[in-house]
Amino acid sequence: MTEQVEGEGALLEVRGLTVSAGARSILRAVSLRLEARSSWAVVGPSGVGKSTLLRCFNRLVDLTPALRVEGEIRFRGVSVRGADVDVDALRARMGFLFQQPVVFPRSIRENVWFGARRVRGLGRGALEALVERVLVAAGLWEEVKDRLAEPAARLSVGQQQRLCLARALAMEPEVLLLDEPTSALDAHSRALVEDSLQRLRGVCPLVLVTHDLEQARRLTDGMACFERRGDAGELVRFERW
């Protein structure tokens, strides 16, 4: 099924995407187009390939060698699977938040600048300014500004997820890919993460995998709805709010 979402240029274009593991299909013949200045939810029941779709965008799917990917994905007009694509650079351009926060066994400060220090080559002064800026954007600065040297593992799960958001923002991504980023959080932490994402929405497009339709309506401009058809997930509807 092909869906066209027209607007000012395409952020992501998917054409005929099929993902399979041996004889088992995960996604089949997915085609969609997401415009550059909009945010979109990916919804549907468990097991229809929503997370797999997200991982195809930034090629995290490559880390599972058993999966076979066919079709085309273009990010700002350039194929993400081209032979000359720098996968690390591609992933830097697409911030990613997982269901469970992934923090490194380092300080809060070092977690924030972990990628930016290596990829962007910033000096110490610029890194310190970056830490404050992205922690403010992630809604975490006031809670940690006096403990940046402490291990990130001491933070609550909700704080760790906002730390992961700050770390993604430190790379200055062109889109944020969010794989059920609040599903493991309590109601208070979920609201804090949503508040941060709501503020970011006008600055950086979001692609949000979620089971929560109300969350999708709060944070995005519309949804791509997937269902299982036979043995694979298929895109069945594209809807604007």
Side-chain angles (χ1 to χ4, degrees), residues 57-79:
F57 291 158
N58 71 347
R59 290 183 54 178
L60 278 179
V61 72
D62 294 3
L63 303 180
T64 308
L67 296 184
R68 184 174 71 254
V69 179
E70 302 172 272
E72 185 176 16
I73 300 172
R74 301 181 75 82
F75 178 48
R76 297 199 181 279
V78 178
S79 172

Side-chain angles (χ1 to χ4, degrees), residues 42-65:
V42 180
V43 303
S46 297
V48 294
K50 303 185 301 297
S51 296
T52 299
L53 175 67
L54 221 58
R55 286 161 171 76
C56 286
F57 291 158
N58 71 347
R59 290 183 54 178
L60 278 179
V61 72
D62 294 3
L63 303 180
T64 308

Side-chain angles (χ1 to χ4, degrees), residues 191-209:
L192 291 174
V193 171
E194 279 198 22
D195 285 347
S196 297
L197 294 175
Q198 189 67 263
R199 291 193 299 271
L200 290 166
R201 181 178 162 191
V203 178
C204 183
L206 314 176
V207 181
L208 170 70
V209 168

Side-chain angles (χ1 to χ4, degrees), residues 1-40:
M1 178 177 180
T2 301
E3 295 289 345
Q4 294 295 321
V5 182
E6 302 296 344
E8 183 192 336
L11 177 72
L12 284 159
E13 291 180 277
V14 180
R15 300 172 184 169
L17 177 67
T18 295
V19 182
S20 53
R24 181 176 67 90
S25 298
I26 299 172
L27 289 168
R28 180 169 48 229
V30 175
S31 295
L32 57 85
R33 181 181 189 273
L34 304 180
E35 62 191 39
R37 295 185 178 273
S38 297
S39 293
W40 295 91

Side-chain angles (χ1 to χ4, degrees), residues 57-59 62 73 78-91 93:
F57 291 158
N58 71 347
R59 290 183 54 178
D62 294 3
I73 300 172
V78 178
S79 172
V80 305
R81 304 198 67 82
D84 58 345
V85 170
D86 181 331
V87 177
D88 290 335
L90 174 70
R91 291 172 184 161
R93 296 170 67 196

Side-chain angles (χ1 to χ4, degrees), residues 9 13 20 51 71 81 104 117 138 147 153 155 181 193 215-216 240:
E13 291 180 277
S20 53
S51 296
R81 304 198 67 82
F104 305 134
R117 187 176 193 177
R147 42 190 297 217
L155 297 175
V193 171
Q215 181 182 68
R240 283 183 177 275

Side-chain angles (χ1 to χ4, degrees), residues 35-241:
E35 62 191 39
R37 295 185 178 273
S38 297
S39 293
W40 295 91
V42 180
V43 303
S46 297
V48 294
K50 303 185 301 297
S51 296
T52 299
L53 175 67
L54 221 58
R55 286 161 171 76
C56 286
F57 291 158
N58 71 347
R59 290 183 54 178
L60 278 179
V61 72
D62 294 3
L63 303 180
T64 308
L67 296 184
R68 184 174 71 254
V69 179
E70 302 172 272
E72 185 176 16
I73 300 172
R74 301 181 75 82
F75 178 48
R76 297 199 181 279
V78 178
S79 172
V80 305
R81 304 198 67 82
D84 58 345
V85 170
D86 181 331
V87 177
D88 290 335
L90 174 70
R91 291 172 184 161
R93 296 170 67 196
M94 298 186 181
F96 202 107
L97 241 61
F98 297 90
Q99 275 186 307
Q100 297 282 349
V102 180
V103 298
F104 305 134
R106 298 170 181 265
S107 70
I108 294 169
R109 174 188 286 110
E110 289 171 309
N111 264 267
V112 173
W113 73 32
F114 184 85
R117 187 176 193 177
R118 288 158 176 75
V119 176
R120 298 180 59 193
L122 301 179
R124 182 66 183 240
L127 286 170
E128 291 290 354
L130 175 69
V131 167
E132 180 174 354
R133 178 168 59 82
V134 297
L135 284 173
V136 168
L140 189 58
W141 174 250
E142 291 300 324
E143 297 169 46
V144 302
K145 63 183 180 182
D146 297 321
R147 42 190 297 217
L148 295 176
E150 291 184 12
R154 292 184 185 174
L155 297 175
S156 70
V157 173
Q159 289 173 322
Q160 288 181 15
Q161 189 67 310
R162 283 180 285 152
L163 177 63
C164 291
L165 175 58
R167 188 173 63 210
L169 293 176
M171 300 299 291
E172 297 190 338
E174 297 171 43
V175 61
L176 282 173
L177 308 178
L178 309 166
D179 190 3
E180 298 189 64
T182 63
S183 63
L185 306 182
D186 59 52
H188 177 68
S189 297
R190 183 164 58 248
L192 291 174
V193 171
E194 279 198 22
D195 285 347
S196 297
L197 294 175
Q198 189 67 263
R199 291 193 299 271
L200 290 166
R201 181 178 162 191
V203 178
C204 183
L206 314 176
V207 181
L208 170 70
V209 168
T210 182
H211 287 279
D212 185 341
L213 285 180
E214 290 306 312
Q215 181 182 68
R217 289 183 180 276
R218 288 192 295 270
L219 295 178
T220 66
D221 301 301
M223 68 176 181
C225 184
F226 284 74
E227 293 181 5
R228 179 163 288 279
R229 297 284 179 88
D231 64 343
E234 294 186 6
L235 176 64
V236 296
R237 188 168 78 257
F238 218 114
E239 176 183 333
R240 283 183 177 275
W241 311 130

